[in-house]
Amino acid sequence: MARLEVIRSWLQTPAPVAFDTDYAAFAESLELAMVELYNDSLLKLTGQNVATAARFRDHHRAHAQAYASLAVGKAKGVPNNTLVFMKTPAVQALTDESSALSFLVALENQMAETYAYGLSLLTSPDVYRRVVTTLPVESEHAAVLGTEAELDAQGLFITGPFENASVGDGSDPRRGFDMAVFPVG
Amino acid sequence: MDRRRFLQLGTAAVVGTAVLGACTGDKSGKPRPGLPPTTTSPSNPIGAGPTDLTLAKTAASLEAMLMDAYKRLMASRIVTSSALLAYTNLFFDHHTQHLAALNGIITTTSGQAAVSEPNPVMQNQIVRPALDAAQNQDDFAHLFFTLEDAIAQTYVYASTAMSQPELRSSMMTIGGIEARHRALLAVEVEQLGLDDLFPSAFARADDPLPPDALLT
């Protein structure tokens, strides 16, 4: 019976719409860019912060794999070039551990904002459910790293009592990454 | 013990038994600009799941519950942890604004009044006895971490069950902040390690509440 329920549930789940599979591919590319940016930033960290950042990097890798599986062949398996290109000068300018932690906090905040906005558009259950379960983990990454960076309340809650559900060109840490500005690939 | 199981089994496993006064939820119910109206249509296309309105009202009642609990914490003289005290006012303010935002959603449905009372099942079966039983700072810290953990997971559960994209987004603009509360209490007050804080790369999406805690 349980097996029949699984089959019935599968038959009743609508196929994801094209926009949502595009979004999954976009999310995969962002998550892979996060993996790369974490790897670059790790060089500036020491002690326990290395282990913490490595754990979070691995989360992003797991997120990327999950989104790739939802992208129905659209995932490219490569980091988002625009995001990496935009953020690389900032990584190279990191002078110390504190600046590296703050840089990662800002990225995590923007990922949470990206997903909060994406949820207002997505209609395919498999895709939006994955986004819903990813967003709070990005928020928690920001919080944990923020404590290591010794941020005050303003820094820990950069958008106040709500995550911002808006996106932009990546320059404003209070807005996430716009699909149109950060194309897959 | 699994913290979520604590909520479904009752209080005794964590802190025992004890009091919480009357609820003082925010009755202003001012909507946050841009929040979409709720819908009374079933969130589950098969018709088996709770409605969007049920989920929004339940979340609102949990916000009222946490506001009340934080007020109790502020009034207590047991807690001296600077980290916990520092977060108490801030989180209380967040929960106040979350409740107002949720009431903005709820009251767009004809005939629906704003929610101002704590969730009765959670309040009576878990929070009130746990606060009464709390003997020391560790008890309070553990209780508040558990409550923030539960409300964060409730938003994830509710967002996966809601029928409208705008509602899912609005709920997670709150859920992400609850997750931050959870993480900050875990790291700075509960001193949890990463394995406990992140048992997985993804947040859990099952309903963490007792079966009768949903408000209809």
Side-chain angles (χ1 to χ4, degrees), chain A residues 55 63 109 116 133 140 161 163, chain B residues 98 169 173 180 182 195 201 203:
Chain A
R55 172 74 68 102
H63 297 168
N109 282 331
T133 59
E140 290 177 329
E163 304 285 3
Chain B
H98 296 167
S169 175
T173 64
R180 289 174 195 252
R182 170 187 182 270
D195 289 339

Side-chain angles (χ1 to χ4, degrees), chain A residues 3-142:
Chain A
R3 195 169 297 170
L4 280 177
E5 282 304 311
V6 170
I7 293 169
R8 184 181 303 165
S9 169
W10 177 73
L11 289 172
Q12 289 176 336
T13 302
V17 301
F19 173 81
D20 291 10
T21 52
D22 287 344
Y23 190 89
F26 165 67
E28 188 228 18
S29 76
L30 292 184
E31 295 286 357
L32 289 175
M34 291 293 286
V35 171
E36 187 163 323
L37 293 166
Y38 261 90
N39 279 335
D40 294 341
S41 303
L42 274 167
L43 302 171
K44 298 289 183 184
L45 302 178
T46 62
Q48 183 59 35
N49 287 335
V50 175
T52 300
R55 172 74 68 102
F56 293 175
R57 174 204 59 199
D58 293 347
H59 287 169
H60 289 295
R61 188 174 286 131
H63 297 168
Q65 288 169 349
Y67 285 115
S69 73
L70 294 169
V72 194
K74 294 177 180 175
K76 300 254 175 95
V78 296
N80 188 290
N81 268 332
T82 308
L83 181 56
V84 172
F85 181 76
M86 169 182 277
K87 298 295 182 183
T88 293
V91 173
Q92 291 170 342
L94 297 175
T95 54
D96 55 19
E97 184 151 38
S98 177
S99 63
L101 290 167
S102 295
F103 171 74
L104 292 172
V105 169
L107 281 177
E108 295 286 5
N109 282 331
Q110 289 185 288
M111 289 298 286
E113 293 150 5
T114 301
Y115 288 133
Y117 176 75
L119 283 172
S120 69
L121 306 172
L122 298 167
T123 56
S124 305
D126 287 348
V127 180
Y128 70 66
R129 285 175 185 152
R130 180 55 67 201
V131 173
V132 165
T133 59
T134 309
L135 187 158
V137 173
E138 317 289 43
S139 297
E140 290 177 329
H141 289 174

Side-chain angles (χ1 to χ4, degrees), chain B residues 72-88 135-141 144 188-189 191:
Chain B
R72 287 278 154 181
L73 181 64
M74 286 184 240
S76 114
R77 299 189 177 191
I78 297 175
V79 174
T80 57
S81 158
S82 58
L84 184 54
L85 290 172
Y87 288 137
T88 297
Q135 298 290 319
N136 54 46
Q137 185 166 278
D138 287 348
D139 290 343
F140 279 104
F144 278 85
E188 298 217 297
V189 180
Q191 315 287 328

